Amino acid sequence: MEIVYFAGGCLWGVQAFIKTLPGVTFTEAGRANGTSHTLEGDYDGYAECVKTGFDPTVVTIRELMGYFFEIIDPYSLNKQGQDVGEKYRTGVYSEKQEHLKEAKAFISERNDYDLIVVEVLPLTNYVRSAEEHQDRLARCPNDYCHIPEAILNRYK
């Protein structure tokens, strides 16, 4: 199993979508690349993300990127749906250089690559979100989600 981190706006919908994908073995809501190692205190530059465990013999990083691009607006900086702010930026983070190389290749091979504002960076810090954010849409299906329900359930 390998791990990659996807930031696609509010993590509730991102987690609900990613956990339905083939080859994904687990998900966890969290914060990527902030400066703090705690949930306490002022905003520290993190992006809301979903820690994604996957089986690389079933799904590749490029395939995961294709799925990810189904749920984000890759041209929108610090905004997805009604969620606005730096913590809602889009990004892909990993501790494995090969993951970052594949994610960058996926983007650079697109015709619109020069318009895409999705970060692809090494993971420098990760903090697990509070329990209330874990699998939030499964527990509170009427909460706001920027991803249309038809897309959220596409791979169930």
Side-chain angles (χ1 to χ4, degrees):
M1 188 182 65
E2 297 184 9
I3 309 257
V4 66
Y5 302 76
F6 289 103
C10 176
L11 55 77
W12 298 346
V14 177
Q15 184 178 28
F17 176 77
I18 288 177
K19 72 185 315 165
T20 69
L21 300 178
V24 171
T25 56
F26 83 89
T27 61
E28 179 179 89
R31 299 175 173 185
N33 288 3
T35 57
S36 173
H37 295 284
T38 176
L39 298 174
E40 307 302 318
D42 295 333
Y43 175 71
D44 67 352
Y46 68 83
E48 288 196 2
C49 75
V50 175
K51 181 178 183 179
T52 304
F54 68 99
D55 180 344
T57 66
V58 177
V59 66
T60 67
I61 289 290
R62 283 183 193 236
E63 289 168 329
L64 287 171
M65 290 291 291
Y67 291 126
F68 180 57
F69 269 58
E70 291 181 37
I71 60 167
I72 63 167
D73 176 350
Y75 318 120
S76 181
L77 185 63
N78 300 332
K79 179 182 186 304
Q80 293 292 306
Q82 297 175 18
D83 300 312
V84 179
E86 188 181 353
K87 72 179 182 176
Y88 298 116
R89 69 189 180 272
T90 54
V92 180
Y93 312 98
S94 181
E95 295 174 299
K96 281 190 78 169
Q97 205 54 38
E98 186 61 30
H99 291 170
L100 302 176
K101 181 179 165 189
E102 290 297 313
K104 287 178 182 177
F106 173 88
I107 292 171
S108 69
E109 291 168 6
R110 289 175 53 107
N111 292 335
D112 58 352
Y113 72 90
D114 55 333
L115 303 174
I116 293 173
V117 295
V118 177
E119 292 183 330
V120 179
L121 296 170
L123 182 77
T124 57
N125 184 26
Y126 174 76
V127 178
R128 184 182 191 277
S129 288
E131 198 56 43
E132 68 188 82
H133 297 292
Q134 303 300 326
D135 296 311
R136 176 69 181 218
L137 285 184
R139 291 182 291 104
C140 306
N142 294 324
D143 280 0
Y144 168 74
C145 180
H146 67 284
I147 304 168
E149 194 170 332
I151 296 174
L152 270 180
N153 299 315
R154 183 174 287 164
Y155 300 103
K156 278 190 171 178

